């Protein structure tokens, strides 16, 4: 067992015979435990004094006629999307009214249900709490018996966070604060460095089952497997250094596509693996260096909302670059047969009608599977003729088919229209005679005194150059109706589903921002967040993010489950092909509100937790579509589940920069 960045990894070395068995399912996982870092720990008393976050000791309960509460918050972003099997809260107890297993009424832990700031906390503004999932411990340690750890089982509280409840932390208090008897516990805070025992939250998750091979690759065709719909949602996120190193390795593999293959981070060892053909092994093993800058979190509880009306724009702040960490990572090189170019060619061709695969209309997604150095193709049905034709066309060991017989077909999502300022997440009207209402994504720079707005290309593809006298002009779109992703003039690559509008002065934002509210907040919110920049690294499996949409409002807790996909998308309501989008990123979640028809073109983002950009939005992409879910009788898009997760697709922000010839968020030429 080794520990890295407060995470524990269990190294497993199975027998090679086991790994070479065609029936073995991948990935092989174990249920690990995570020690989550405490981000805030502070106590407060009803004596009228403000909280002091620097206190080395924390007091909860009744002592000398004073009521005390301890407030703790842990970073649970790591466990988003995971199935939590167990969670324990542990604190070092240094003093109490007595020693033993039953001292007074004990101390109860409750889930906080509103925001608090340890730097401004008072008894008057303390957060609300709920007794749902509350646990009480009566054990105590005092000076006469020495200190010891107290532990509360809080599995249900942790599960509430994972399944969508906002993480405002927990509160430790007396179970009945009206009882005047002395009943208190003193704990070590993170500031008590000499005790080296800060508050701890340990979670254990249960891994989602992996693929089961139905038909192995062989003379009769390519491999076919099945897996739970939420497979890959339990992928662990990476620290900033590995995120940027992996991003650099991806870019290197694309720049040397004929000899390098898509890289990945080994989920067991934590190694950055750079596969390569024989000719590319020297390049693949070169160190990756740079600066890793935090990309923000998918946490809408982070403060930074601005409450305002349409006519009261926020005064822009000076945006200061976030600090980063220098790194140098040397990849582990392995030799493989298929290069990035080979895998990309297969993924590009397998969905094309002209490839003439029997029952090819059942294939709807394809992307490289780096860990296995082949292409994963998703299909709603598989026939023997399909398996054999794919093997004959591309090679027996070139791909594996994920059979998803109950999969919802992916659709592009059209937006509603109204009149408003072109802030991110706003809806505004185009020509009602033309099919295609458009939605603001992100303010996209200023060039020669003209302002631009990024949105989804399919919203603009059917429109002429003039959208409407109240909006502006279409500059370009990377999408063609019925075809999908298309090349822009003078460019060689495909760049997802993106479109650029030159916004009229009357609709131009006063500063880059998006409409944003708490998940489940009102769709007509006047709250906004300012945009501070965009992601510095390429997307990877495990990334977490939020989405803004008019139909669904703000939804967070999304996790990337695949990147660089090719996907055949359809129009809502019928299996009519809208086109094949290239370089689409796919996210899932198993709780809360899904996205739905009406959210297309909206912003995909995270929020910086701390530093000079705290509360600012960090742009990640633009919504393309989702799997189709019909609204319920109340007009709400139903939530996801482990068996039927919400699914969301978006175009990545770096493709927008390439398509824009360098024009970027906040950039003025």
């Amino acid at each position: 067992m080794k520990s890295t960045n407060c995470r524990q990894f269990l190294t497993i070395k199975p027998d090679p015979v086991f790994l070479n068995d065609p029936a073995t399912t991948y990935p092989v996982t174990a249920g690990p435990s995570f020690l989550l870092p405490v981000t805030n720990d502070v106590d407060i008393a009803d004596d009228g004094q403000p909280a002091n976050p620097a206190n080395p000791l924390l007091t909860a309960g009744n002592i000398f006629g004073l009521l005390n509460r301890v407030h703790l918050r842990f970073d649970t972003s790591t466990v988003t999307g995971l199935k939590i099997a167990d969670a324990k809260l542990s604190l070092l107890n240094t003093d109490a009214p007595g020693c033993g297993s039953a001292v007074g009424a004990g101390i109860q832990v409750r889930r906080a249900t509103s925001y608090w700031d340890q730097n401004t906390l008072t008894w008057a503004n303390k957060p609300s709490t709920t007794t749902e999932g509350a646990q009480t411990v009566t054990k105590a340690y005092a000076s006469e018996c020495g200190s010891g750890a107290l532990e509360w089982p809080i599995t249900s509280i942790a599960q509430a966070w994972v399944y969508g409840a906002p993480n405002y932390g927990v509160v430790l208090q007396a179970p009945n604060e009206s009882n005047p008897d002395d009943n208190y516990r003193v704990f070590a805070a993170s500031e008590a460095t000499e005790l080296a025992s800060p508050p701890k939250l340990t979670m254990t998750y249960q891994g989602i089952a992996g693929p089961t091979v139905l038909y192995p690759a062989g003379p009769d065709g390519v491999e076919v497997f099945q897996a739970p719909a939420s497979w890959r949602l339990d992928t662990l996120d990476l620290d900033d250094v590995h995120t940027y190193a992996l991003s650099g390795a991806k870019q290197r593999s694309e720049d040397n596509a004929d000899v390098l293959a898509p890289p990945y981070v080994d989920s067991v060892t934590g190694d950055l693996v750079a596969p390569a053909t024989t000719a590319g092994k020297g390049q693949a093993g070169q160190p990756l260096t740079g600066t890793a800058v935090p990309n923000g979190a998918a946490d809408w509880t982070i403060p930074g909302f601005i409450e305002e009306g349409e006519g009261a724009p926020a005064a822009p702040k000076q945006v200061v670059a976030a600090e980063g960490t220098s790194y140098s990572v040397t990849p582990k090189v392995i030799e493989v047969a298929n290069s990035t170019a080979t895998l990309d060619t297969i993924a590009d061709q397998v969905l094309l009608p002209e490839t003439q695969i029997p029952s090819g209309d059942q294939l709807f997604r394809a992307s490289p599977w780096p860990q296995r150095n082949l292409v994963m193709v998703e299909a709603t049905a598989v026939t023997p003729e399909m398996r054999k034709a794919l093997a004959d066309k591309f090679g027996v060991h070139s791909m594996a088919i994920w059979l998803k017989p109950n999969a919802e077909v992916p659709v592009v999502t059209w937006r509603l229209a109204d009149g408003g300022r072109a802030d991110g997440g706003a809806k505004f009207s185009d020509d009602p005679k033309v099919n295609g209402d458009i939605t603001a994504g992100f303010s996209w720079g200023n060039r020669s005194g003209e302002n631009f707005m990024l949105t989804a290309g399919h919203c603009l593809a059917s429109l002429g150059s003039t959208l409407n006298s109240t909006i502006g002009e279409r500059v370009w779109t990377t999408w063609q109706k019925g075809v999908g992703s298309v090349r822009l003039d003078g460019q060689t690559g495909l760049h997802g589903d993106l479109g650029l509008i030159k916004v009229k002065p009357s609709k131009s934002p006063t500063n880059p921002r998006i409409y944003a509210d708490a998940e489940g907040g009102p769709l007509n919110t006047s709250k906004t967040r300012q945009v501070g920049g965009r992601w510095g690294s390429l997307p990877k499996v495990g990334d977490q993010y939020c989405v803004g949409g008019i139909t669904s409002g703000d939804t967070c807790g999304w996790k990337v489950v695949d990147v660089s996909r090719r996907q055949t998308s359809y129009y809502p309501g019928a299996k009519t092909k809208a086109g094949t989008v290239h370089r689409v990123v796919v996210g899932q979640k198993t709780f809360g509100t899904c996205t739905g028809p009406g959210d297309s073109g909206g912003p995909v983002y995270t929020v910086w937790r701390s530093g000079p950009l705290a509360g600012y939005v960090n742009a990640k992409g633009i919504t393309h579509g989702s799997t189709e879910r019909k609204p319920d009788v109340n007009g709400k898009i139903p939530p996801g589940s482990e068996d039927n997760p919400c699914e969301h697709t978006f175009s990545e922000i770096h493709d927008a920069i390439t398509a824009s010839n360098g024009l970027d968020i906040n950039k003025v030429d």
Side-chain angles (χ1 to χ4, degrees):
M1 184 82 71
K2 71 175 182 178
S3 179
T4 303
N5 291 335
C6 297
R7 306 176 190 176
Q8 293 182 333
F9 297 91
L10 179 62
T11 302
I12 303 172
K13 294 184 178 179
D15 190 294
V17 175
F18 168 76
L19 293 177
N20 292 327
D21 185 349
T24 298
T25 59
Y26 295 90
V28 180
T29 60
S33 293
F34 293 88
L35 182 62
L36 302 180
V38 62
T39 56
N40 300 114
D41 58 344
V42 68
D43 62 356
I44 188 67
D46 66 345
D47 58 2
Q49 298 299 311
N52 181 3
N55 275 345
L57 297 176
L58 307 168
T59 302
N62 301 350
I63 179 172
F64 306 139
L66 287 179
L67 294 177
N68 296 261
R69 292 185 180 185
V70 172
H71 298 72
L72 306 173
R73 185 155 39 212
F74 297 84
D75 181 2
T76 58
S77 60
T78 302
V79 299
T80 295
L82 304 186
K83 189 173 182 179
I84 301 301
D86 184 68
K88 294 182 175 66
L89 174 67
S90 176
L91 288 91
L92 180 66
N93 179 202
T94 62
D95 197 14
C99 303
S101 60
V103 178
I107 296 298
Q108 187 175 78
V109 60
R110 299 182 180 184
R111 178 165 58 88
T113 55
S114 62
Y115 179 75
W116 53 275
D117 184 339
Q118 67 173 4
N119 296 304
T120 60
L121 182 65
T122 66
W123 191 262
N125 67 16
K126 63 186 182 298
S128 56
T129 64
T130 176
T131 56
E132 180 181 341
Q135 296 289 331
T136 301
V137 169
T138 58
K139 191 174 183 179
Y141 294 87
S143 57
E144 58 267 29
C145 57
S147 60
L150 299 184
E151 190 174 87
W152 289 259
I154 61 166
T155 304
S156 61
I157 292 177
Q159 289 172 339
W161 290 332
V162 169
Y163 290 106
N167 177 11
Y168 294 117
V170 294
V171 176
L172 295 167
Q173 64 180 80
N176 179 8
E177 292 185 327
S178 63
N179 186 338
D181 296 338
D182 272 2
N183 173 43
Y184 64 91
R185 305 291 185 275
V186 178
F187 305 105
S190 57
E191 288 76 15
T193 54
E194 72 283 359
L195 296 177
S197 186
K200 300 178 179 67
L201 175 58
T202 305
M203 292 192 191
T204 302
Y205 81 91
Q206 179 180 338
I208 299 171
T212 300
V213 176
L214 303 179
Y215 303 100
D220 55 342
V222 300
E223 175 187 311
V224 179
F225 69 87
Q226 281 190 303
S230 55
W231 172 55
R232 306 184 105 187
L233 256 181
D234 62 356
T235 302
L236 306 181
D237 203 356
L238 302 176
D239 57 45
D240 294 331
V241 166
H242 281 84
T243 293
Y244 275 80
L246 178 60
S247 178
K250 284 182 180 179
Q251 189 61 58
R252 178 186 286 172
S253 73
E254 293 179 4
D255 294 341
N256 301 275
D258 291 333
V259 294
L260 303 185
Y264 60 93
V265 173
D266 189 298
S267 62
V268 175
T269 66
D271 293 329
L272 173 59
V273 181
T277 63
T278 302
K281 292 171 69 175
Q283 290 171 287
Q286 294 298 311
L288 295 154
T289 61
T291 301
V293 179
N295 282 312
D299 182 359
W300 49 264
T301 68
I302 299 171
F305 292 110
I306 302 170
E307 188 75 59
E308 59 188 355
E310 285 285 346
K317 297 180 181 179
Q318 181 181 2
V319 176
V320 182
E323 295 182 0
T325 303
S326 297
Y327 66 88
S328 178
V329 176
T330 300
K332 176 183 177 181
V333 179
I334 61 172
E335 186 171 338
V336 294
N338 297 315
S339 67
T340 294
T342 299
L343 297 177
D344 282 347
T345 298
I346 295 172
D348 284 341
Q349 293 181 0
V350 70
L351 298 182
L352 297 177
E354 51 265 36
T355 306
Q356 298 184 334
I357 300 298
S359 303
D361 59 343
Q362 302 299 317
L363 307 174
F364 64 92
R365 283 184 181 145
S367 64
W369 189 353
Q371 290 85 345
R372 295 191 61 188
N373 192 236
L374 48 72
V375 172
M376 183 193 303
V377 183
E378 297 180 38
T380 55
V382 175
T383 65
E385 295 78 15
M386 175 195 292
R387 290 184 60 221
K388 187 66 167 64
L390 288 171
D392 292 343
K393 176 73 175 178
F394 300 110
V396 173
H397 300 287
S398 64
M399 67 177 61
I401 300 174
W402 183 359
L403 176 59
K404 304 174 75 173
N406 299 316
E408 295 283 350
V409 297
V411 297
V412 294
T413 55
W414 298 96
R415 287 291 286 267
L416 305 174
D418 71 355
R421 190 179 58 235
D423 286 314
K427 55 180 180 178
F428 55 104
S429 57
D430 56 49
D431 188 341
K433 298 178 182 179
V434 182
N435 179 26
D437 297 323
I438 58 180
T439 299
F442 290 105
S443 299
W444 202 240
N446 175 290
R447 179 173 287 160
S448 303
E450 297 174 330
N451 294 309
F452 298 87
M453 177 62 66
L454 192 68
T455 185
H458 73 259
C459 294
L460 309 182
S462 302
L463 307 179
S465 59
T466 301
L467 303 178
N468 185 288
S469 60
T470 65
I471 296 177
E473 299 178 0
R474 186 189 79 181
V475 181
W476 52 254
T477 173
T478 66
W479 181 275
Q480 181 178 329
K481 185 177 181 180
V483 176
S485 298
V486 294
R487 290 176 176 83
L488 296 175
D489 291 343
Q491 297 193 6
T492 57
L494 297 169
H495 303 297
D497 175 14
L498 296 163
L500 192 68
I501 306 167
K502 184 172 73 174
V503 182
K504 292 182 68 67
S506 61
K507 292 294 181 181
S508 295
T510 54
N511 54 79
R513 60 183 180 173
I514 67 169
Y515 285 103
D517 209 329
E519 181 157 342
L523 298 179
N524 61 345
T525 183
S526 61
K527 291 183 178 179
T528 63
R529 286 187 188 268
Q530 297 195 75
V531 181
R534 43 86 175 169
W535 268 56
S537 57
L538 298 174
K540 67 181 188 310
V541 173
D543 283 347
Q544 297 174 39
Y545 63 92
C546 300
V547 180
I550 290 300
T551 298
S552 306
D554 284 274
T555 60
C556 289
W558 294 95
K559 181 181 282 188
V560 172
V561 296
D562 211 343
V563 296
S564 300
R565 281 198 181 184
R566 287 75 168 163
Q567 172 181 289
T568 301
S569 296
Y570 302 87
Y571 291 112
K575 197 172 182 181
T576 303
K577 185 176 179 180
T580 300
V581 61
H582 289 245
R583 297 179 64 87
V584 70
V585 182
V586 182
Q588 287 184 344
K589 70 174 187 173
T590 58
F591 60 86
T593 306
C594 300
T595 55
D599 291 330
S600 180
V604 178
Y605 64 95
T606 53
V607 181
W608 276 288
R609 286 188 182 278
S610 59
L613 295 174
Y616 276 70
V617 161
N618 200 16
K620 188 171 180 64
I622 295 291
T623 292
H624 165 71
S626 62
T627 48
E628 187 168 18
R629 289 174 183 261
K630 300 293 193 299
D632 60 21
V633 293
N634 298 314
K636 300 291 186 181
I637 302 296
S641 66
E642 189 173 325
D643 296 329
N644 187 22
C646 304
E647 194 163 272
H648 168 260
T649 53
F650 67 94
S651 295
E652 204 269 324
I653 206 71
H654 292 87
D655 276 324
I657 296 170
T658 303
S660 306
N661 291 319
L663 190 63
D664 198 348
I665 288 176
N666 298 345
K667 183 173 181 179
V668 178
D669 286 358

